[in-house]
């Protein structure tokens, strides 16, 4: 999904240079390009917010572009390489350190308290958007990973759906029971989570391990990854999750997931994606936590979601920062975005939104509240190359799923390639 907004370019007035800081009413407005990933619903909300921003800031025009997660990062990398980076970039923690240390995005500290009014953000939010002590982004909200469920589909097959506190062994048994009672061809209890890195990360954390260490190395070993692959092999063998060919259709987007395509009664996703799931699915949905171990550690965490960063090559960084501030700290902008990018990081903005939330939006906020007993500390910041390693897990999981590699072979392949990626830093 790609969305462009084109306007006729205004001719720059050479005489404007003679007036210095003075901008006459007929001077060409500043132009800002904004690029983000997300669903059609996110695009509609963002476009409406941009129109409201332009109405209040007639000296700024915003050109917008969006894509799905899988297409977003290659396109952004191409634009950066071509020295054509957007002014305002939607950023994710998995890539932030890499982009910051390469000088692709600019530190924002000098704008805090002037153009950027984020003093009400929790310290943890600001720290999670920082690299080497400098602020490189502002998060639009807070989210967590969860399980999106069509409860009716589960209960029609005589199985109670997973809920908060469901264990990994429970999930396996429930999904097999679903398969036994199911009469609908090509329909399964679950999406295949073996290649979904956030699910794998939560599974690791419940056992006291991390995806990465604070030093930027892998925080787990090969036998643990083999065990993960074997768990999902058992799930596939029991008919509990979708087949590899169905899972391969997923492009890390709500629109292409097994639940939305009608192949599963459940799918994994970030809490802010729940609204998109509800928009695209006719059946009523609910949102619950990722499974746990009965004696495991607190494994989930509240993630700063959809950070907004500014390109270091932006010709209008002040205008880009004004747009960021509008999206995260201005009541008008925050109302347009709602909780689709996450629950607002500012308590003031959360209180502002609360009375106007619809049922699905309130369910997102309730999920964050109910997740409290399962939430641990933030994991170490992902190292440079983490985005590439995330894609690697998906690819290797597919090789194991299709039977071209055993669980042990897949784990060995993953470690060999991941180590090589980390050594290139």
């Amino acid at each position: 999904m790609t969305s462009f907004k084109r306007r006729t370019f205004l001719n720059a007035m050479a005489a404007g240079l003679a007036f210095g800081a003075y901008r006459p009413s007929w001077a060409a407005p500043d132009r800002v390009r904004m690029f983000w990933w997300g669903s059609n619903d996110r695009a509609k909300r963002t476009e409406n917010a941009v129109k409201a921003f332009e109405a209040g800031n007639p000296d700024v025009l915003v050109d917008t572009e969006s894509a799905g997660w899988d297409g977003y990062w290659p396109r952004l990398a191409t634009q950066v390489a071509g020295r054509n980076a957007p002014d305002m970039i939607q950023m994710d923690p998995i890539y932030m350190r890499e982009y910051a240390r390469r000088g692709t995005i600019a530190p924002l500290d000098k704008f805090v308290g002037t153009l950027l009014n984020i003093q009400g953000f929790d310290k943890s939010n600001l720290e999670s958007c920082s690299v080497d002590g400098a602020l490189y982004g502002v998060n639009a909200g807070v989210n967590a990973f969860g399980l999106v469920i069509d409860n009716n589909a589960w209960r029609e097959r005589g199985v109670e759906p997973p809920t908060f506190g469901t264990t990994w062994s429970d999930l396996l048994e429930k999904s097999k029971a679903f398969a036994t009672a199911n009469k609908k061809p090509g329909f399964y209890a679950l999406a295949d989570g073996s290649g979904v890195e956030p699910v794998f990360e939560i599974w690791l954390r419940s056992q006291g391990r991390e995806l990465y260490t604070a030093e930027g190395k892998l925080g787990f070993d090969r036998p643990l990854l083999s065990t993960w692959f074997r768990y999902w092999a058992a799930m596939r063998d029991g008919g509990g999750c979708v087949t590899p060919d169905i899972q391969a259709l997923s492009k890390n987007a709500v629109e292409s997931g097994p639940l939305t395509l009608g192949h599963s009664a459940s799918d994994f996703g970030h809490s802010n994606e729940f609204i998109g799931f509800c928009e695209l699915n006719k059946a009523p949905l609910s949102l619950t936590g990722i499974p746990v171990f009965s004696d495991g550690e607190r494994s989930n965490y509240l993630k700063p979601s959809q950070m907004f960063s500014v390109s270091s090559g932006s010709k209008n960084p002040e205008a880009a920062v004004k747009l960021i501030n509008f999206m995260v700290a201005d009541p008008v902008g925050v109302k347009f975005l709602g909780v689709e990018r996450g629950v607002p990081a500012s308590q003031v903005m959360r209180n502002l939104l609360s009375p106007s939330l619809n049922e699905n939006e309130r369910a997102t906020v309730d999920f964050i509240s109910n997740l409290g007993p399962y939430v641990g500390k933030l994991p170490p910041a992902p190292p440079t190359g983490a985005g590439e390693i995330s894609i690697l897990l998906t690819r290797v999981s597919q090789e194991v799923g299709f039977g071209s590699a055993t669980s042990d072979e897949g784990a060995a392949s993953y470690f060999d390639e991941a180590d090589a990626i980390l050594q290139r830093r």
Side-chain angles (χ1 to χ4, degrees):
M1 181 278 296
T2 304
S3 169
F4 289 93
K5 181 171 59 180
R6 295 188 175 92
R7 296 183 180 81
T8 304
F9 279 86
L10 300 177
N11 293 325
M13 301 294 185
L17 297 174
F19 293 98
Y22 170 68
R23 177 191 289 275
S25 61
W26 41 262
D30 291 329
R31 300 196 72 92
V32 173
R33 287 176 54 220
M34 178 184 181
F35 189 23
W36 72 88
W37 74 82
S39 64
N40 288 325
D41 180 60
R42 178 173 298 168
K44 292 176 184 177
R45 291 169 182 267
T46 307
E47 294 285 2
N48 288 334
V50 165
K51 290 177 184 176
F53 172 79
E54 290 177 324
N57 297 271
D59 58 335
V60 182
L61 289 178
V62 183
D63 300 308
T64 62
E65 179 183 358
S66 63
W69 171 272
D70 281 4
Y72 176 83
W73 297 104
R75 187 180 303 175
L76 178 61
T78 299
Q79 293 182 4
V80 169
R83 298 186 178 181
N84 186 37
D87 299 275
M88 181 174 165
I89 301 170
Q90 187 168 291
M91 184 54 57
D92 187 86
I94 199 172
Y95 287 100
M96 173 161 278
R97 181 180 291 188
E98 178 176 350
Y99 275 79
R101 289 184 171 173
R102 289 182 177 177
T104 303
I105 52 179
L108 304 177
D109 304 82
K110 65 181 180 181
F111 300 110
V112 177
T114 54
L115 295 179
L116 200 52
N117 300 312
I118 56 174
Q119 294 89 329
F121 280 40
D122 293 337
K123 181 180 179 181
S124 61
N125 282 291
L126 299 179
E127 288 178 347
S128 64
C129 297
S130 300
V131 177
D132 300 329
L135 184 70
Y136 280 93
V138 182
N139 59 308
V142 175
N143 66 23
F145 220 68
L147 185 60
V148 181
I149 299 175
D150 177 351
N151 288 305
N152 291 338
W154 282 82
R155 290 179 177 135
E156 285 170 2
R157 289 156 179 82
V159 183
E160 276 300 304
T163 187
F164 288 100
T166 294
T167 66
W168 286 100
S169 58
D170 289 340
L171 183 66
L172 182 59
E173 294 308 313
K174 283 177 177 291
S175 299
K176 288 181 177 179
F178 184 106
T180 300
N182 181 53
K183 305 299 180 185
K184 183 179 177 180
F187 191 68
Y188 305 84
L190 291 169
D192 185 338
S194 61
V196 183
E197 189 180 77
V199 183
F200 175 53
E201 180 181 28
I202 293 170
W203 182 83
L204 285 173
R205 283 166 57 89
S206 65
Q207 300 170 80
R209 307 299 291 271
E210 293 284 1
L211 197 59
Y212 297 103
T213 66
E215 295 73 33
K217 298 180 180 180
L218 293 175
F220 57 97
D221 56 24
R222 297 188 188 197
L224 206 50
L225 181 56
S226 295
T227 300
W228 172 251
F229 285 148
R230 284 197 296 272
Y231 175 87
W232 285 99
M235 185 73 78
R236 284 188 294 272
D237 291 344
C241 70
V242 299
T243 53
D245 56 319
I246 293 176
Q247 186 62 38
L249 298 173
S250 176
K251 304 302 178 185
N252 284 313
V254 173
E255 293 87 347
S256 60
L259 176 62
T260 302
L261 295 181
H263 293 298
S264 71
S266 315
D267 202 351
F268 301 97
H270 287 99
S271 55
N272 59 288
E273 293 177 307
F274 180 67
I275 295 168
F277 275 109
C278 292
E279 291 281 338
L280 294 171
N281 287 268
K282 295 180 180 179
L285 304 175
S286 66
L287 181 62
T288 192
I290 299 297
V292 300
F293 285 100
S294 57
D295 57 349
E297 299 185 19
R298 292 188 175 199
S299 52
N300 214 318
Y301 61 94
L302 300 181
K303 175 186 176 182
S305 62
Q306 272 80 82
M307 302 170 180
F308 292 134
S309 297
V310 175
S311 168
S312 58
S314 174
K315 295 180 180 179
N316 298 305
E318 290 83 5
V321 172
K322 287 173 67 175
L323 178 57
I324 291 175
N325 189 74
F326 181 78
M327 297 287 190
V328 303
D330 187 295
V332 177
V334 170
K335 283 185 175 180
F336 273 112
L337 295 188
V339 296
E340 195 279 331
R341 276 186 170 87
V343 178
S346 163
Q347 183 63 53
V348 173
M349 293 299 109
R350 286 199 291 270
N351 294 341
L352 175 80
L353 278 183
S354 183
S356 61
L357 297 179
N358 62 34
E359 182 179 356
N360 295 331
E361 291 169 332
R362 194 170 299 281
T364 301
V365 177
D366 290 344
F367 168 78
I368 295 295
S369 298
N370 294 332
L371 195 63
Y374 308 98
V375 169
K377 62 181 181 179
L378 278 172
T384 299
E388 192 175 349
I389 293 174
S390 178
I391 296 171
L392 171 64
L393 178 66
T394 300
R395 176 171 61 78
V396 173
S397 74
Q398 290 175 347
E399 293 171 358
V400 175
F402 280 109
S404 59
T406 65
S407 296
D408 289 344
E409 290 169 345
S413 173
Y414 174 92
F415 266 78
D416 288 345
E417 293 190 49
D419 286 340
I421 290 169
L422 293 175
Q423 288 173 11
R424 294 203 304 264
R425 291 183 295 154

